[in-house]
Amino acid sequence: MRSEGPPILELRNFRYTYLEGTPRASEAIRDVSFRIRRGERVGIVGPTQSGKSTVVDSFAHLLRLKPGQVFYDGEDVAAPGYDRRKLRREVGIVFQQPDSQIIEDVVGADVAFGPTAAGLPAEETRRRVEESLNALGLPYPEYRLRYVHALSGGQRRRVAIAGVLAMHTPVLVLDEPMAGLDPRGRRELLELLIRLQKDRDLTLIVCSASLSDASLLCDRFVVLDEGRVVMDGPVREVLREADRLAQLDITLPEPVIGAREFKKLFPDLPAEILTEDELEAELLKKLGVA
Ligand SMILES: Nc1ncnc2c1ncn2[C@@H]1O[C@H](COP(=O)(O)OP(=O)(O)OP(=O)(O)O)[C@@H](O)[C@H]1O
Ligand SMILES: [Mg+2]
């Protein structure tokens, strides 16, 4: 993690009310501040309706933002005259409902849409479409001419992710990326994201109500509840507060759930257990095997 320069993304006392000034006004974000540095891998986690997707929408510039709240690379994205194309070129977002970002009927054309719109030469676009589809387990020769609407929900999610990956943005934001994928699909996507983050030196932001996948992908968690940041810190430190997370209705990783159960038998089990391996090692110690 590097610490020089301004944060790549910053929210400063961000507040947002949908349908403001109407009887149906809904205060989605009450007060959210955080800074994300280049190369960080951050999980924005929280129960349903806590405001995760609204935070993502603020990066996408989909909301009517007030100045002074959302900054990209040190610049206020709501300032008059701000070049929003820069934001679009540099922050790739896979929305929670990926169908909403599929534009073309045919898989290859859809993945090519972003690079083409960005003005890349046809050959480079083709190369990126091939690379992105292959990376998502949708082999290019087999899938490029398929109709998007004839694919399964999980496959459409992958097409949407491929379209964003093909943009090669330095920041990648994924809102509930594992939803609708089967266990194998989840594992493959997880491995792909870990590899990409390393190869491309991405800044990665993952929203999720479950800590299982996010704890494997991220180094830091920002925990939201009712539109406020309630915890922010390294994954290990946040997971140490398992009771508080469970109270918030956030799904804990399996080994953490297991450790909580075993703690009833062995109260001095360390609070630090995060992975299957750590849980197994501690239990073997307790049983006098190791
Ligand atoms: N387009 C909208 N119009 C009105 N209210 C909205 C809209 N989108 C979200 N909200 C409200 O804002 C609050 C935060 O919603 P948001 O979708 O950001 O939460 P979330 O943490 O992403 O939830 P989930 O886990 O269900 O995806 C909720 O109370 C929601 O009802
Ligand atoms: Mg959401």
Side-chain angles (χ1 to χ4, degrees):
M1 206 189 309
R2 283 147 299 170
S3 55
E4 77 277 9
I8 191 148
L9 271 169
E10 178 176 5
L11 297 191
R12 230 181 260 171
N13 301 113
F14 175 45
R15 284 160 221 271
Y16 194 79
T17 302
Y18 287 97
L19 306 168
E20 191 163 21
T22 76
R24 289 168 57 221
S26 141
E27 204 183 353
I29 303 292
R30 290 162 211 266
D31 186 5
V32 170
S33 299
F34 58 73
R35 294 165 154 213
I36 294 177
R37 302 213 163 265
R38 276 173 211 279
E40 257 193 307
R41 310 187 300 170
V42 183
I44 298 182
V45 297
T48 182
Q49 313 259 288
S50 57
K52 305 179 294 291
S53 296
T54 306
V55 165
V56 170
D57 287 350
S58 78
F59 306 148
H61 221 306
L62 289 177
L63 308 173
R64 223 179 266 265
L65 292 175
K66 298 191 176 88
Q69 304 194 101
V70 182
F71 298 81
Y72 179 73
D73 207 10
E75 289 182 86
D76 184 342
V77 307
Y82 178 78
D83 180 8
R84 292 182 187 182
R85 280 168 309 175
K86 177 175 172 188
L87 203 61
R88 225 167 288 142
R89 263 197 319 268
E90 301 201 3
V91 182
I93 303 182
V94 180
F95 292 99
Q96 189 166 4
Q97 313 292 347
D99 280 349
S100 65
Q101 67 195 115
I102 290 179
I103 295 166
E104 299 280 348
D105 291 336
V106 174
V107 170
D110 188 72
V111 178
F113 184 86
T116 305
L120 287 178
E123 183 49 32
E124 173 64 9
T125 297
R126 198 205 58 81
R127 211 186 53 71
R128 288 196 188 182
V129 172
E130 182 170 3
E131 167 199 76
S132 303
L133 284 173
N134 288 344
L136 280 146
L138 301 169
Y140 176 77
E142 196 182 320
Y143 279 89
R144 72 189 173 98
L145 294 176
R146 293 256 199 119
Y147 282 106
V148 176
H149 63 77
L151 301 177
S152 71
Q155 288 171 325
R156 285 202 301 276
R157 180 171 291 272
R158 294 191 211 191
V159 171
I161 298 174
V164 174
L165 288 186
M167 298 293 291
H168 286 202
T169 55
V171 182
L172 183 61
V173 183
L174 300 139
D175 195 352
E176 300 283 358
M178 305 295 170
L181 297 184
D182 59 20
R184 182 164 153 225
R186 292 167 97 99
R187 208 171 41 244
E188 284 173 359
L189 180 57
L190 208 58
E191 283 165 7
L192 170 74
L193 290 172
I194 291 170
R195 200 169 61 235
L196 272 177
Q197 205 273 335
K198 282 205 191 100
D199 293 353
R200 291 194 192 163
D201 200 17
L202 281 173
T203 304
L204 187 65
I205 300 170
V206 180
C207 292
S208 180
S210 154
L211 300 183
S212 305
D213 301 316
S215 65
L216 299 173
L217 270 175
C218 301
D219 311 305
R220 168 183 166 200
F221 282 153
V222 175
V223 185
L224 299 185
D225 185 42
E226 297 187 346
R228 290 196 175 83
V229 176
V230 291
M231 288 186 234
D232 181 351
V235 165
R236 273 184 184 275
E237 274 173 34
V238 171
L239 286 176
R240 214 178 283 156
E241 304 210 38
D243 289 333
R244 203 167 154 207
L245 293 166
Q247 260 170 20
L248 290 174
D249 233 351
I250 298 174
T251 314
L252 295 165
E254 302 261 322
V256 177
I257 297 175
R260 276 158 62 82
E261 287 302 313
F262 283 114
K263 237 176 147 43
K264 292 175 189 159
L265 289 174
F266 306 113
D268 59 339
L269 214 59
E272 274 278 301
I273 295 171
L274 257 191
T275 65
E276 296 286 348
D277 290 350
E278 289 168 9
L279 180 57
E280 191 182 301
E282 288 301 330
L283 289 177
L284 289 175
K285 253 191 249 167
K286 285 285 165 243
L287 297 169
V289 183

Coordinates of all heavy atoms in Angstrom, one line a residue, residues 52-100:
K52 N -24.8 1.1 0.6 CA -23.6 0.7 -0.2 C -23.7 1.2 -1.6 O -22.8 1.8 -2.2 CB -23.4 -0.8 -0.1 CG -23.3 -1.4 1.3 CD -23.1 -2.9 1.3 CE -24.3 -3.6 0.8 NZ -25.5 -3.6 1.7
S53 N -24.9 0.8 -2.2 CA -25.0 1.2 -3.6 C -25.1 2.7 -3.9 O -24.7 3.2 -4.9 CB -26.3 0.5 -4.2 OG -26.1 -0.9 -4.1
T54 N -25.6 3.4 -2.9 CA -25.7 4.8 -3.0 C -24.3 5.4 -3.0 O -24.0 6.3 -3.8 CB -26.6 5.5 -1.9 OG1 -27.8 4.8 -1.9 CG2 -26.8 6.9 -2.1
V55 N -23.4 4.8 -2.2 CA -22.0 5.3 -2.2 C -21.4 5.0 -3.6 O -20.7 5.8 -4.2 CB -21.2 4.5 -1.1 CG1 -19.7 4.6 -1.3 CG2 -21.6 5.1 0.3
V56 N -21.7 3.8 -4.2 CA -21.2 3.5 -5.5 C -21.7 4.5 -6.5 O -21.0 4.9 -7.4 CB -21.6 2.0 -5.9 CG1 -21.3 1.7 -7.4 CG2 -20.9 1.0 -5.0
D57 N -23.0 4.8 -6.4 CA -23.6 5.7 -7.4 C -22.9 7.1 -7.3 O -22.9 7.8 -8.3 CB -25.1 5.8 -7.2 CG -25.8 4.6 -7.6 OD1 -25.2 3.7 -8.3 OD2 -27.0 4.5 -7.4
S58 N -22.4 7.4 -6.1 CA -21.7 8.7 -6.0 C -20.4 8.7 -6.9 O -20.1 9.7 -7.4 CB -21.4 9.1 -4.6 OG -20.3 8.4 -4.1
F59 N -19.8 7.6 -6.9 CA -18.6 7.5 -7.8 C -18.9 7.5 -9.3 O -18.2 8.0 -10.1 CB -17.8 6.2 -7.6 CG -17.4 5.9 -6.2 CD1 -17.3 4.6 -5.8 CD2 -17.1 6.9 -5.3 CE1 -16.9 4.2 -4.5 CE2 -16.8 6.6 -4.0 CZ -16.7 5.3 -3.6
A60 N -20.1 7.0 -9.6 CA -20.6 6.9 -10.9 C -21.2 8.2 -11.4 O -21.5 8.4 -12.6 CB -21.6 5.8 -11.1
H61 N -21.3 9.2 -10.5 CA -21.9 10.4 -10.9 C -23.3 10.3 -11.3 O -23.8 10.9 -12.3 CB -21.0 11.2 -11.9 CG -20.9 12.6 -11.6 ND1 -22.0 13.4 -11.4 CD2 -19.8 13.4 -11.4 CE1 -21.6 14.6 -11.1 NE2 -20.3 14.7 -11.1
L62 N -24.0 9.4 -10.7 CA -25.4 9.2 -11.1 C -26.4 10.0 -10.2 O -27.5 10.0 -10.4 CB -25.8 7.7 -10.9 CG -25.2 6.7 -11.9 CD1 -25.5 5.3 -11.6 CD2 -25.6 7.1 -13.3
L63 N -25.8 10.6 -9.2 CA -26.6 11.3 -8.2 C -26.4 12.8 -8.4 O -25.4 13.2 -9.0 CB -26.2 10.9 -6.8 CG -26.1 9.4 -6.4 CD1 -25.6 9.3 -5.1 CD2 -27.5 8.8 -6.5
R64 N -27.4 13.6 -8.0 CA -27.2 15.0 -8.1 C -26.4 15.4 -6.8 O -26.9 15.6 -5.7 CB -28.6 15.6 -8.0 CG -28.8 16.8 -8.9 CD -30.2 17.3 -8.7 NE -31.1 16.6 -9.6 CZ -31.5 17.2 -10.8 NH1 -31.0 18.4 -11.1 NH2 -32.3 16.6 -11.6
L65 N -25.1 15.4 -7.0 CA -24.2 15.7 -5.9 C -24.0 17.1 -5.6 O -24.0 18.0 -6.5 CB -22.8 15.1 -6.2 CG -22.7 13.6 -6.3 CD1 -21.3 13.2 -6.7 CD2 -23.0 12.9 -5.0
K66 N -23.9 17.4 -4.3 CA -23.5 18.8 -3.9 C -22.0 18.9 -3.8 O -21.4 17.9 -3.5 CB -24.1 19.1 -2.5 CG -25.7 19.0 -2.5 CD -26.2 19.6 -1.2 CE -27.7 19.6 -1.3 NZ -28.3 18.3 -0.8
P67 N -21.5 20.1 -4.2 CA -20.0 20.2 -4.1 C -19.5 19.9 -2.7 O -20.2 20.0 -1.7 CB -19.8 21.6 -4.6 CG -21.0 22.1 -5.2 CD -22.1 21.3 -4.6
G68 N -18.2 19.6 -2.7 CA -17.5 19.4 -1.4 C -17.6 18.1 -0.7 O -17.3 17.9 0.4
Q69 N -18.2 17.1 -1.4 CA -18.4 15.8 -0.8 C -17.7 14.6 -1.4 O -17.3 13.7 -0.7 CB -19.9 15.5 -0.8 CG -20.8 16.5 -0.2 CD -22.2 16.0 0.0 OE1 -22.5 15.7 1.1 NE2 -23.0 15.9 -1.0
V70 N -17.6 14.6 -2.7 CA -17.0 13.5 -3.4 C -15.8 14.0 -4.2 O -15.9 14.8 -5.1 CB -18.0 12.8 -4.3 CG1 -17.4 11.5 -5.0 CG2 -19.2 12.4 -3.5
F71 N -14.6 13.4 -4.0 CA -13.4 13.8 -4.6 C -12.7 12.6 -5.3 O -12.6 11.5 -4.8 CB -12.4 14.4 -3.6 CG -12.9 15.6 -2.9 CD1 -13.8 15.5 -1.9 CD2 -12.6 16.8 -3.4 CE1 -14.4 16.6 -1.2 CE2 -13.1 18.0 -2.7 CZ -14.0 17.8 -1.7
Y72 N -12.3 12.8 -6.6 CA -11.5 11.8 -7.3 C -10.2 12.4 -7.6 O -10.1 13.5 -8.2 CB -12.2 11.3 -8.6 CG -11.4 10.3 -9.3 CD1 -11.3 9.0 -8.8 CD2 -10.7 10.7 -10.4 CE1 -10.5 8.1 -9.4 CE2 -9.9 9.7 -11.1 CZ -9.8 8.4 -10.6 OH -9.0 7.5 -11.2
D73 N -9.1 11.7 -7.2 CA -7.8 12.2 -7.4 C -7.6 13.7 -7.0 O -7.0 14.4 -7.7 CB -7.5 12.0 -8.9 CG -6.0 11.8 -9.2 OD1 -5.2 11.6 -8.2 OD2 -5.6 11.9 -10.4
G74 N -8.2 14.0 -5.9 CA -8.0 15.3 -5.3 C -9.0 16.4 -5.9 O -9.0 17.5 -5.4
E75 N -9.8 16.0 -6.9 CA -10.7 17.0 -7.5 C -12.1 16.7 -7.1 O -12.6 15.6 -7.1 CB -10.6 17.0 -9.0 CG -9.3 17.5 -9.5 CD -9.3 17.5 -11.1 OE1 -9.8 18.4 -11.7 OE2 -8.8 16.5 -11.7
D76 N -12.8 17.8 -6.8 CA -14.3 17.7 -6.5 C -15.1 17.4 -7.7 O -15.1 18.2 -8.7 CB -14.7 19.1 -5.9 CG -16.1 19.1 -5.4 OD1 -16.9 18.1 -5.8 OD2 -16.5 20.0 -4.6
V77 N -15.7 16.2 -7.8 CA -16.3 15.8 -9.0 C -17.6 16.5 -9.2 O -18.2 16.5 -10.3 CB -16.6 14.3 -9.0 CG1 -15.4 13.5 -8.8 CG2 -17.7 13.9 -8.0
A78 N -18.1 17.3 -8.2 CA -19.4 18.0 -8.4 C -19.1 19.5 -8.7 O -20.0 20.3 -8.7 CB -20.3 17.9 -7.2
A79 N -17.8 19.9 -8.8 CA -17.4 21.3 -9.0 C -17.8 21.6 -10.5 O -17.8 20.8 -11.4 CB -15.9 21.5 -8.9
P80 N -18.3 22.9 -10.7 CA -18.7 23.3 -12.0 C -17.5 23.1 -13.0 O -16.3 23.4 -12.6 CB -19.0 24.7 -11.9 CG -19.1 25.0 -10.4 CD -18.4 24.0 -9.7
G81 N -17.7 22.5 -14.1 CA -16.7 22.3 -15.1 C -15.8 21.1 -14.9 O -14.9 20.8 -15.7
Y82 N -16.1 20.3 -13.9 CA -15.3 19.1 -13.7 C -15.5 18.1 -14.9 O -16.6 18.0 -15.4 CB -15.7 18.3 -12.4 CG -14.9 17.0 -12.2 CD1 -13.6 17.1 -11.8 CD2 -15.5 15.8 -12.5 CE1 -12.9 15.9 -11.6 CE2 -14.8 14.6 -12.4 CZ -13.5 14.7 -11.9 OH -12.8 13.5 -11.8
D83 N -14.4 17.6 -15.4 CA -14.4 16.7 -16.6 C -14.9 15.3 -16.2 O -14.1 14.5 -15.7 CB -13.0 16.6 -17.2 CG -13.0 15.8 -18.4 OD1 -14.0 15.3 -18.9 OD2 -11.9 15.5 -18.9
R84 N -16.2 15.0 -16.3 CA -16.7 13.8 -15.9 C -16.2 12.6 -16.7 O -16.3 11.4 -16.3 CB -18.2 13.8 -16.0 CG -18.8 14.7 -15.0 CD -20.3 14.6 -15.1 NE -20.9 15.6 -14.2 CZ -22.2 15.8 -14.1 NH1 -23.0 15.0 -14.8 NH2 -22.6 16.7 -13.3
R85 N -15.7 12.9 -17.9 CA -15.2 11.8 -18.8 C -14.0 11.2 -18.1 O -13.8 10.0 -18.2 CB -14.8 12.4 -20.2 CG -16.0 12.5 -21.1 CD -15.6 13.3 -22.3 NE -14.9 14.5 -21.9 CZ -14.3 15.4 -22.7 NH1 -14.3 15.1 -24.0 NH2 -13.7 16.5 -22.3
K86 N -13.2 12.0 -17.4 CA -12.1 11.4 -16.7 C -12.6 10.3 -15.7 O -12.0 9.2 -15.6 CB -11.3 12.5 -15.9 CG -10.1 12.0 -15.1 CD -9.3 13.0 -14.5 CE -8.3 12.4 -13.6 NZ -7.5 13.3 -12.8
L87 N -13.6 10.7 -14.9 CA -14.2 9.8 -14.0 C -14.6 8.5 -14.6 O -14.3 7.4 -14.2 CB -15.3 10.5 -13.3 CG -15.8 10.0 -11.9 CD1 -14.7 10.2 -10.9 CD2 -17.0 10.8 -11.4
R88 N -15.3 8.6 -15.8 CA -15.8 7.5 -16.5 C -14.6 6.6 -17.0 O -14.7 5.4 -17.1 CB -16.7 7.9 -17.6 CG -18.0 7.1 -17.6 CD -19.0 7.7 -18.5 NE -19.6 8.9 -17.9 CZ -20.0 10.0 -18.6 NH1 -19.8 10.0 -19.9 NH2 -20.5 11.0 -18.0
R89 N -13.6 7.3 -17.5 CA -12.4 6.5 -18.0 C -11.7 5.8 -17.0 O -11.0 4.8 -17.2 CB -11.4 7.5 -18.7 CG -11.6 7.7 -20.2 CD -10.4 8.3 -20.8 NE -9.8 9.4 -20.0 CZ -10.1 10.7 -20.2 NH1 -11.0 11.0 -21.1 NH2 -9.5 11.6 -19.5
E90 N -11.7 6.3 -15.8 CA -10.8 5.8 -14.7 C -11.4 4.9 -13.7 O -10.8 4.2 -13.0 CB -10.0 7.0 -14.1 CG -9.2 7.7 -15.1 CD -8.0 8.5 -14.6 OE1 -7.8 8.5 -13.4 OE2 -7.4 9.2 -15.4
V91 N -12.7 5.1 -13.5 CA -13.4 4.3 -12.5 C -14.4 3.4 -13.2 O -15.4 3.8 -13.7 CB -14.2 5.2 -11.5 CG1 -14.8 4.3 -10.4 CG2 -13.2 6.2 -10.8
G92 N -14.1 2.1 -13.2 CA -15.0 1.1 -13.8 C -15.9 0.6 -12.8 O -15.5 0.2 -11.7
I93 N -17.2 0.6 -13.1 CA -18.2 0.1 -12.1 C -19.0 -1.0 -12.6 O -19.6 -0.9 -13.7 CB -19.1 1.3 -11.7 CG1 -18.2 2.5 -11.1 CG2 -20.1 0.9 -10.6 CD1 -19.0 3.7 -10.7
V94 N -19.1 -2.1 -11.9 CA -20.1 -3.1 -12.2 C -21.2 -3.0 -11.2 O -21.0 -3.2 -10.0 CB -19.4 -4.5 -12.0 CG1 -20.5 -5.6 -12.4 CG2 -18.2 -4.7 -12.9
F95 N -22.4 -2.5 -11.7 CA -23.5 -2.2 -10.8 C -24.1 -3.5 -10.2 O -23.9 -4.6 -10.8 CB -24.5 -1.4 -11.5 CG -24.0 0.0 -11.8 CD1 -23.5 0.3 -13.1 CD2 -24.0 1.0 -10.8 CE1 -23.0 1.6 -13.4 CE2 -23.4 2.2 -11.1 CZ -22.9 2.5 -12.4
Q96 N -24.9 -3.3 -9.2 CA -25.6 -4.4 -8.5 C -26.5 -5.1 -9.5 O -26.7 -6.3 -9.4 CB -26.3 -3.9 -7.3 CG -26.9 -5.0 -6.4 CD -27.3 -4.4 -5.1 OE1 -27.2 -3.2 -4.8 NE2 -27.7 -5.3 -4.2
Q97 N -27.2 -4.4 -10.4 CA -28.1 -5.0 -11.4 C -27.3 -4.9 -12.7 O -27.5 -3.9 -13.4 CB -29.4 -4.2 -11.5 CG -30.0 -3.9 -10.1 CD -30.5 -5.1 -9.4 OE1 -30.6 -6.2 -10.1 NE2 -30.9 -5.0 -8.2
P98 N -26.5 -5.9 -13.0 CA -25.7 -5.7 -14.2 C -26.5 -5.6 -15.5 O -26.0 -5.1 -16.5 CB -24.8 -6.9 -14.2 CG -25.4 -7.9 -13.3 CD -26.3 -7.2 -12.4
D99 N -27.7 -6.1 -15.5 CA -28.5 -6.1 -16.8 C -28.6 -4.6 -17.2 O -28.7 -4.3 -18.4 CB -29.9 -6.7 -16.6 CG -29.8 -8.2 -16.7 OD1 -28.8 -8.7 -17.1 OD2 -30.8 -8.8 -16.3
S100 N -28.6 -3.7 -16.2 CA -28.8 -2.3 -16.5 C -27.7 -1.7 -17.3 O -27.8 -0.7 -17.9 CB -29.1 -1.5 -15.3 OG -27.9 -1.5 -14.5

